[in-house]
Amino acid sequence: MSVDNVIILGAGASFDAGIPLLDGFIEKMRYFYWKGKSANGDLSENDINVFKRAIEIMNELDGYHGRAAFDDRNLEDILSILAFNIIGREKYGARKLDQMIEAIVRTIELTCVINHDGKLNSIQYSSPGYYREFWDGLFKKYNKDKVIPTIITLNYDLVFERSLLQALITEKYRTNQFDGVIIKYYYSNMSFSFKQIDQDYHKSTYDGGFERVKGHGLKECKETDLVNPLIIEMLKLHGSVNFPRVLSSTSMGIQSFIKPAEKPFIVPPISNKSLSNKSVSIWRVALDRIQKCKNLYIVGYSLPKTDIYFQFFLKSALGPNNDFNRIFVYNPALFDDNGKSEIKKRYEDCFPEQLRNRIEFYPHYHHEKPGSFQNFVQNLSEENFFF
């Protein structure tokens, strides 16, 4: 597959959808347990128990501070220690990691404001709308140039799956150059196919009445049912809440696309060092796409110094790429005095001097929220955005 552009989405890309950043997950878990409620109301007894177990695990790790320095408010630090404890054959180590992952999934679901119930003939818009606009921008580019960027995400959530359905199921009729979409995860054989169909909707008018408008709906289908599909590569390097550890024929339906799996496949940071058979294909495809791309857009990711593995992934991917043009970094911290120099230095230290002048740290920044995901989405609508 020929891909000129690759988009990497970090935690900051999902932040406006309510998902905490890595250093906010633990605080949110503690809040849910102490308050017993979320923005949607009181938590169930099961949810309270999920967070109780997670806090008990974190309290056990608190005893490590006398002999080891780690950030007990950072999710990746905690997952790394739990993963190493399994290697060290700690009793109940695997159970503790599973319980922490369960708390992560519930935190994501309780905070996410982008929702969808899976009905493919029902318009379901959520705010903020620029998650839908992200997909609308990519559809527009595809309709014009017949290309779409590969999306690589470091997040576990389903913000972009749900907003994709919201963008496709709409009262806005479009003459698309595709008759449906295929979403390819490269997680085992897990993929989803939806055929675009014409759909009539009733839209309210200014005088209090309704008018009939023609838009689009979807229906589930086989890949072979589509003649001109739009193939969306969504590479979730660290797993996803909708990736079941054990795949079955029921893992491919609409509910599996927009709902968490009962036991999701989420990769703790240390597990990247020896990729499982389930995730190696995802990383292999991601490596291939960056090795061949011309432009790399990194949105909401600060390249933390602790993420050595991903730094070497980028180096390995870009090293043999002779056609590479530019890296565009979108991060609001670049416009803050405290984060500006640190983030720039981390990116510049990751690449040789001859490539540093190809890193755009302030691309198209004339926006009320410069460097944000919203800023990136606004730029998608610009005619000459992708080279």
Side-chain angles (χ1 to χ4, degrees):
M1 183 173 181
S2 176
V3 177
D4 285 342
N5 303 285
V6 172
I7 299 171
I8 295 178
L9 300 174
S14 292
F15 181 72
D16 285 350
I19 312 298
L21 299 176
L22 287 176
D23 58 359
F25 256 91
I26 304 305
E27 180 182 348
K28 186 62 72 172
M29 289 180 189
R30 293 184 182 277
Y31 173 86
F32 284 148
Y33 177 64
W34 291 334
K35 296 294 185 179
K37 61 182 180 181
S38 70
N40 297 319
D42 293 339
L43 300 186
S44 67
E45 184 177 349
N46 182 67
D47 277 340
I48 292 174
N49 287 331
V50 165
F51 294 120
K52 178 182 179 182
R53 289 192 292 267
I55 290 172
E56 288 172 348
I57 293 169
M58 289 185 280
N59 289 341
E60 288 179 20
L61 296 179
D62 189 56
Y64 285 44
H65 283 299
R67 298 166 300 280
F70 75 99
D71 187 353
D72 61 1
R73 288 296 188 270
N74 185 282
L75 183 63
E76 286 194 343
D77 281 18
I78 290 175
L79 289 178
S80 293
I81 289 179
L82 292 175
F84 271 118
N85 285 347
I86 295 175
I87 294 174
R89 297 183 179 179
E90 177 192 304
K91 189 177 183 181
Y92 306 125
R95 180 191 299 177
K96 290 177 182 178
L97 180 58
D98 284 347
Q99 290 172 340
M100 185 58 66
I101 288 174
E102 186 177 9
I104 291 170
V105 174
R106 290 307 301 149
T107 301
I108 289 173
E109 287 301 287
L110 289 169
T111 56
C112 184
V113 298
I114 305 296
N115 299 300
H116 204 282
D117 63 11
K119 294 179 181 178
L120 300 180
N121 60 353
S122 171
I123 296 173
Q124 300 179 46
Y125 291 159
S126 301
S127 294
Y130 40 86
Y131 287 101
R132 293 191 307 276
E133 293 167 12
F134 166 78
W135 290 112
D136 287 337
L138 296 188
F139 298 159
K140 181 179 179 181
K141 297 293 181 184
Y142 182 82
N143 286 332
K144 180 183 176 217
D145 302 323
K146 299 296 187 297
V147 294
I148 188 171
T150 289
I151 299 169
I152 298 174
T153 174
L154 306 176
N155 305 329
Y156 311 129
D157 60 70
L158 300 175
V159 169
F160 289 89
E161 283 87 345
R162 293 168 181 170
S163 57
L164 171 61
L165 293 185
Q166 291 183 0
L168 288 167
I169 304 169
T170 175
E171 82 283 2
K172 301 172 184 176
Y173 189 82
R174 294 183 292 247
T175 305
N176 290 323
Q177 300 299 311
F178 54 88
D179 61 344
V181 297
I182 298 172
I183 299 94
K184 300 183 77 68
Y185 285 123
Y186 297 98
Y187 173 66
S188 189
N189 62 339
M190 190 174 183
S191 66
F192 296 89
S193 307
F194 302 102
K195 186 174 181 62
Q196 176 183 268
I197 60 174
D198 291 346
Q199 181 81 36
D200 287 340
Y201 295 101
H202 289 89
K203 185 177 179 180
S204 58
T205 58
Y206 291 110
D207 59 3
F210 293 92
E211 63 177 344
R212 192 174 179 179
V213 296
K214 187 182 218 180
H216 298 291
L218 296 174
K219 70 175 182 179
E220 296 179 71
C221 68
K222 298 178 182 178
E223 291 185 14
T224 53
D225 294 334
L226 300 175
V227 178
N228 297 305
L230 168 60
I231 299 176
I232 299 172
E233 293 185 325
M234 198 180 304
L235 310 178
K236 308 187 86 167
L237 299 185
H238 296 161
S240 177
V241 299
N242 70 330
F243 286 6
R245 292 185 209 171
V246 179
L247 271 78
S248 66
S249 58
T250 59
S251 302
M252 306 291 186
I254 179 62
Q255 291 302 321
S256 301
F257 184 61
I258 43 88
K259 298 291 184 184
E262 184 176 351
K263 291 188 176 181
F265 177 75
I266 289 179
V267 184
I270 135 107
S271 298
N272 290 336
K273 310 303 183 289
S274 54
L275 295 173
S276 74
N277 291 333
K278 292 180 179 178
S279 58
V280 68
S281 294
I282 303 174
W283 285 81
R284 183 182 294 122
V285 174
L287 191 70
D288 175 78
R289 299 303 183 255
I290 297 178
Q291 285 176 343
K292 297 176 181 177
C293 76
K294 291 184 174 66
N295 302 294
L296 183 62
Y297 297 82
I298 305 177
V299 186
Y301 181 65
S302 61
L303 198 66
K305 59 184 179 181
T306 54
D307 201 349
I308 301 296
Y309 190 82
F310 195 76
Q311 291 179 34
F312 276 98
F313 168 76
L314 285 178
K315 292 176 182 181
S316 299
L318 290 176
N321 187 337
N322 294 322
D323 296 325
F324 190 71
N325 180 40
R326 288 190 178 277
I327 298 174
F328 298 86
V329 180
Y330 284 79
N331 196 306
L334 287 166
F335 298 84
D336 178 75
D337 289 340
N338 295 327
K340 180 177 180 180
S341 59
E342 291 184 11
I343 293 177
K344 282 190 68 174
K345 187 175 187 307
R346 288 200 292 269
Y347 272 99
E348 289 172 344
D349 287 348
C350 191
F351 304 108
E353 187 173 351
Q354 61 268 28
L355 186 58
R356 291 174 190 170
N357 62 357
R358 300 192 200 177
I359 305 175
E360 296 281 353
F361 289 105
Y362 312 107
H364 312 270
Y365 66 86
H366 300 292
H367 188 270
E368 61 181 12
K369 295 182 178 179
S372 65
F373 176 74
Q374 186 179 1
N375 184 185
F376 173 69
V377 171
Q378 182 190 52
N379 295 155
L380 277 175
S381 63
E382 296 176 7
E383 193 67 26
N384 62 345
F385 181 55
F386 287 122
F387 289 86

